[in-house]
Amino acid sequence: MSQPPQGGAPQDYQVYDAASLPANDNVNPYAFCVELDGQWFLQKGKMIAYYGQIDFHGIGHGPLDGLVASSFHSPLHAADWVVAQGRGKLLLADRAFDINSYDLEDGNLTVRSGNLLAFDPSLSLKQSIIPGFLTLIGTGSFVAASNGEVHFVEPPVRVDPQALVGWADCPSPCHHYDHRYLKGVMGGLRAMTGVGGASGEEHQFEFVGAGTVLIQSSEVLMDERDTGGVPQQAGVPGGQGGDSGHGGQQGPQLPGQFGSLQRRLGL
Amino acid sequence: MAQFRLDGTKVLAVTLEGGGDAVKAKNGSMVAYDGEMAFKKLSGGGEGVRGMVTRRLTGEQMTVMEVKGRGTCYFADRACDINLVRLNGEKLHVEASNLLCTDSGLRTGTSFTGLRGASQGNGLFTTSVEGTGQAALMSAGPAVLLRVTPQTPLQVDPGAYVAHQGDLRQSFQSGVNFRTLMGEGSGEAFQVRFEGTGLVYVQPSERNTLGGDV
């Protein structure tokens, strides 16, 4: 390693400059460098530094209408996203979480909205019908974060809701409840109070079918902004659907009330 | 002369030889030691009455202890990643909250940074470290070292900035326009632009900043 201009740099650290930063690759497990020549979508606040001439545009009315129309189909997430436009090297990172890039080739992948950092406009971003998740469709690359390394597992598998990062190729996600622990009055009490042997693992997401499921090695979720909710419309999961007293429609009709179900689902 | 080395990435081990050998460390950051150590709180960062008053006035406050003795002392703070920097007479600028430990041969002081500090919510001042010896910086996630040359200026998000050294000019760059006021801001409205020749330390994480949501 050459001596930096002002001396003083520790010899055992790699110093990057505009030329030596990797192009579209990880700088270290926690930072990713995008070689930008054109446009990329990125989530607000995930850019930590850049070389070159790059402008950031909010998504809304303006010169980028065409781009947004072709690749951004999540109006409810628009407030969280920006378009980076220009030429240069862009460093992305998020709360020192592990960052990985994924390449899709005429495929689809659904990812928790808070975990997606950036994507190539050749992909199109759509809101998943599962609340709090976003689906990417097409060909191109995107960058996502996870708390701890990502593990890829094949269905059939049941996953803890908090550990789920996303899934690819439609392995039919659904809820699974350990019925034995939830039924009856005692089950309701257990679920509500945690007294009497609730392990906190009575509910999982179940995946069957062909595909890949991505899980992170931690149950800590990124705090998500409360934008990106779902439309208040009948038939939309998570939407209030007219009956505003009943938060979320996907709770099972079991005796005993699930006070914290919404939270436990990670929604 | 105190020897700094990293034990893993999140623990700093400092070997002191005794006989006046000392380091300055963030108050309360000692996690273990062997040998004989004495810990003494230094009021005002050990910069004398003038430094104390300056720090109080500038809000760049730092509670520091002096560690003296013979043996090995281990420092860590909130499982932050630690980066070692060796200075040979240069000046390093670092946020007070990111400074873990400095050799007693290094002088610390406060310097004016201008608007960058204001956008970070860290005040208008920063801490400077100068002299010969080693210093340990903390960052959320291992810091990325980025070189700035006259041909390649660097823009950094204020929330990810940790430290810089070298002959750098910093200016505050804002992309605020009428759309920001309309609530269609880009979330990346504020950046610090570094020009000149030197090194910038950036962490892969962002502090909450005033400018972060605009």
Side-chain angles (χ1 to χ4, degrees):
Chain A
M1 209 186 77
S2 62
Q3 190 69 16
Q6 293 290 312
Q11 288 299 304
D12 47 342
Y13 290 110
Q14 169 92 45
V15 180
Y16 294 97
D17 58 29
S20 70
L21 272 173
N24 299 323
D25 201 358
N26 275 72
V27 179
N28 62 32
Y30 314 99
F32 188 88
C33 179
V34 173
E35 183 157 38
L36 188 71
D37 187 4
Q39 292 154 329
W40 261 65
F41 282 94
L42 70 132
Q43 202 171 141
K44 277 185 188 177
K46 312 298 185 197
M47 182 279 291
I48 56 166
Y50 67 90
Y51 286 106
Q53 192 60 50
I54 298 176
D55 296 322
F56 299 91
H57 301 278
I59 290 179
H61 297 291
L64 298 167
D65 256 359
L67 176 77
V68 172
S70 65
S71 13
F72 198 86
H73 305 275
S74 315
L76 294 160
H77 291 264
D80 293 345
W81 287 81
V82 291
V83 178
Q85 189 173 33
R87 180 189 282 269
K89 293 246 175 112
L90 186 62
L91 274 178
L92 303 173
D94 192 8
R95 273 160 280 184
F97 278 37
D98 284 59
I99 310 278
N100 283 298
S101 78
Y102 303 82
D103 291 311
L104 280 183
E105 212 162 293
D106 201 12
N108 68 77
L109 192 142
T110 305
V111 64
R112 196 179 285 279
S113 60
N115 287 42
L116 183 62
L117 262 60
F119 66 95
D120 192 313
S122 64
L123 287 168
S124 76
L125 181 80
K126 316 211 174 191
Q127 222 166 296
S128 169
I129 59 170
I130 318 273
F133 285 81
L134 291 167
T135 302
L136 290 152
I137 299 177
T139 301
S141 53
F142 67 93
V143 180
S146 60
N147 192 351
E149 284 168 38
V150 169
H151 302 272
F152 298 87
V153 290
E154 302 234 319
V157 65
R158 290 178 186 156
V159 179
D160 187 283
Q162 283 104 52
L164 179 67
V165 173
W167 62 90
D169 300 332
C170 302
S172 92
C174 51
H175 294 287
H176 173 88
Y177 295 91
D178 286 348
H179 187 66
R180 201 155 57 87
Y181 286 98
L182 294 177
K183 69 180 175 188
V185 177
M186 282 312 289
L189 279 175
R190 259 199 293 264
M192 227 171 22
T193 61
V195 177
S199 66
E201 307 285 7
E202 288 83 11
H203 167 242
Q204 301 100 33
F205 287 158
E206 177 158 350
F207 292 88
V208 290
T212 312
V213 179
L214 282 66
I215 52 177
Q216 63 183 9
S217 36
S218 149
E219 297 192 0
V220 179
L221 293 175
M222 312 254 239
D223 42 329
E224 288 160 33
R225 304 192 183 207
D226 48 5
T227 52
V230 291
Q232 307 285 303
Q233 197 180 332
V236 176
Q240 302 288 309
D243 179 14
S244 58
H246 197 264
Q249 301 247 315
Q250 67 275 68
Q253 299 302 311
L254 289 170
Q257 211 199 332
F258 277 64
S260 58
L261 188 69
Q262 199 80 352
R263 182 175 54 74
R264 290 171 63 220
L265 300 189
L267 302 181
Chain B
M1 196 76 169
Q3 289 300 317
F4 286 47
R5 71 183 163 80
L6 288 182
D7 198 352
T9 58
K10 298 180 179 185
V11 176
L12 170 74
V14 177
T15 308
L16 296 171
E17 287 161 1
D21 207 3
V23 293
K24 281 196 280 187
K26 185 177 172 178
N27 217 9
S29 62
M30 185 275 288
V31 290
Y33 69 91
D34 56 42
E36 284 297 319
M37 294 281 168
F39 302 88
K40 187 179 124 200
K41 185 180 176 200
L42 295 176
S43 298
E47 291 155 15
V49 175
R50 186 157 166 261
M52 199 161 131
V53 173
T54 317
R55 283 199 178 271
R56 188 49 62 89
L57 287 178
T58 55
E60 186 75 6
Q61 281 171 30
M62 187 164 84
T63 43
V64 176
M65 60 184 180
E66 187 187 48
V67 184
K68 207 180 248 186
R70 180 193 298 275
T72 306
C73 192
Y74 297 88
F75 300 97
D77 191 30
R78 290 160 187 251
C80 277
D81 280 83
I82 297 168
N83 309 274
L84 290 183
V85 186
R86 177 175 284 285
L87 294 175
N88 297 308
E90 310 91 344
K91 198 175 204 176
L92 174 82
H93 295 270
V94 57
E95 287 305 321
S97 54
N98 289 101
L99 189 60
L100 178 64
C101 188
T102 54
D103 198 297
S104 56
L106 294 171
R107 292 182 302 286
T108 54
T110 32
S111 61
F112 183 70
T113 58
L115 277 170
R116 177 179 66 69
S119 70
Q120 264 174 220
N122 280 358
L124 294 164
F125 295 84
T126 189
T127 296
S128 60
V129 182
E130 202 175 3
T132 302
Q134 281 179 296
L137 310 181
M138 292 186 292
S139 56
V144 179
L145 277 69
L146 296 170
R147 177 167 309 168
V148 180
T149 64
Q151 293 78 37
T152 55
L154 175 73
Q155 288 81 3
V156 177
D157 189 290
Y161 166 87
V162 174
H164 75 268
Q165 65 184 107
D167 180 20
L168 289 176
R169 287 181 309 286
Q170 43 183 311
S171 55
F172 188 63
Q173 183 169 313
S174 136
V176 176
N177 53 23
F178 81 97
R179 292 177 57 181
T180 312
L181 304 175
M182 300 284 286
E184 285 183 3
S186 65
E188 306 288 8
F190 299 101
Q191 288 123 29
V192 194
R193 184 177 169 90
F194 287 95
E195 286 169 295
T197 310
L199 282 176
V200 180
Y201 294 70
V202 177
Q203 64 181 6
S205 177
E206 295 193 2
R207 286 181 286 263
N208 287 328
T209 58
L210 281 174
D213 286 325
V214 181

